[in-house]
Every structure is written in C-alpha cells, then in structure tokens.
Amino acid sequence: QVQLVESGGGLVQAGGSLRLSCAASGRTFSSYAMGWFRQAPGKEREFVAAISWTGGYQNYADSVKGRFTISRDNAKNTVYLQMNSLKAEDTAVYYCAADAYGSGHRRNTYEYVHWGQGTQVTVSS
C-alpha cells in the first residue's frame, strides 16, 4: 500500500514556474512507476507525465512537453513535477498516482492504483 500527498500548488502568473512534490509513504515506493495527472473544472482527468521506477524513462503529454519535467528521488520517496512557462490552460487540480505494473509508459487513469488528494494550480493570464 502506498499513500501519496501532493504539495506545491498555488497561484502563479502566466509564464511563471511552480514545482509540485508528491511524498509517498511505504517502503515499496521505488518499485512503482509514478505519474502526474490533472483535472480542470468540467473536464476529464488527463495524463500529464510519468516516470519509470528507476527514473530513467519519462513520458509527457504533448501539451506539456518541453515545459514540464518529471523526476523522482527514491531515497526521499518523492516524485516532482517542475512546471515552467505556465499557461492559463494549465490551471487544474494536479494529482500524483502510482502504477504498480507499468514502467512509465502508461497514460490511462485506470492503470494507476494509488492516488493523492490533489493540489490546485491556478495560472492567471
């Protein structure tokens, strides 16, 4: 069992940056691929980025490629999402999630077994 807690969200102007963190409990964190998803009001939850359990492979949605970077520190049981050049359309609740069977390639919400409670990111234009 893995419990996930996100932090780092907030209000930022367009063009600014934020770094989200997701702290995981449990000694099996390093065996999970990890992902970030987001959900804007009235929209479905969508894939943002994922990373393999070693951190050697990253996978990004086209909408964030080149602007966002996912990373992890297995010694700290933490996964990060560095978000640069933020746009108003990045406004959403951001969730981290753990994938017990994937390797960072998977993008569907049903493939992730553990979820955090989410952190709000608001980008003002």
Side-chain angles (χ1 to χ4, degrees):
Q1 184 76 9
V2 174
Q3 293 185 324
L4 306 172
V5 178
E6 301 96 336
S7 61
L11 174 64
V12 64
Q13 288 188 332
S17 298
L18 281 174
R19 188 175 83 153
L20 305 183
S21 299
C22 173
S25 64
R27 289 177 286 181
T28 60
F29 171 77
S30 61
S31 66
Y32 286 83
M34 297 296 296
W36 285 96
F37 291 77
R38 66 187 181 187
Q39 187 167 18
K43 295 188 176 182
E44 293 187 352
R45 195 170 297 188
E46 65 175 4
F47 171 79
V48 175
I51 189 167
S52 63
W53 65 273
T54 65
Y57 174 79
Q58 302 91 41
N59 179 17
Y60 296 95
D62 288 344
S63 59
V64 307
K65 198 172 295 183
R67 300 188 297 122
F68 291 11
T69 302
I70 189 170
S71 62
R72 67 189 296 163
D73 185 339
N74 287 341
K76 296 182 178 180
N77 278 12
T78 302
V79 62
Y80 304 97
L81 186 68
Q82 177 68 44
M83 305 186 295
N84 298 328
S85 302
L86 282 161
K87 306 175 182 179
E89 51 264 42
D90 294 319
T91 295
V93 178
Y94 283 71
Y95 300 88
C96 71
D99 177 3
Y101 302 105
S103 56
H105 293 80
R106 308 207 294 186
R107 298 184 168 208
N108 297 302
T109 56
Y110 61 80
E111 294 170 318
Y112 287 75
V113 294
H114 302 296
W115 291 84
Q117 84 289 348
T119 186
Q120 176 70 48
V121 171
T122 303
V123 183
S124 62
S125 57

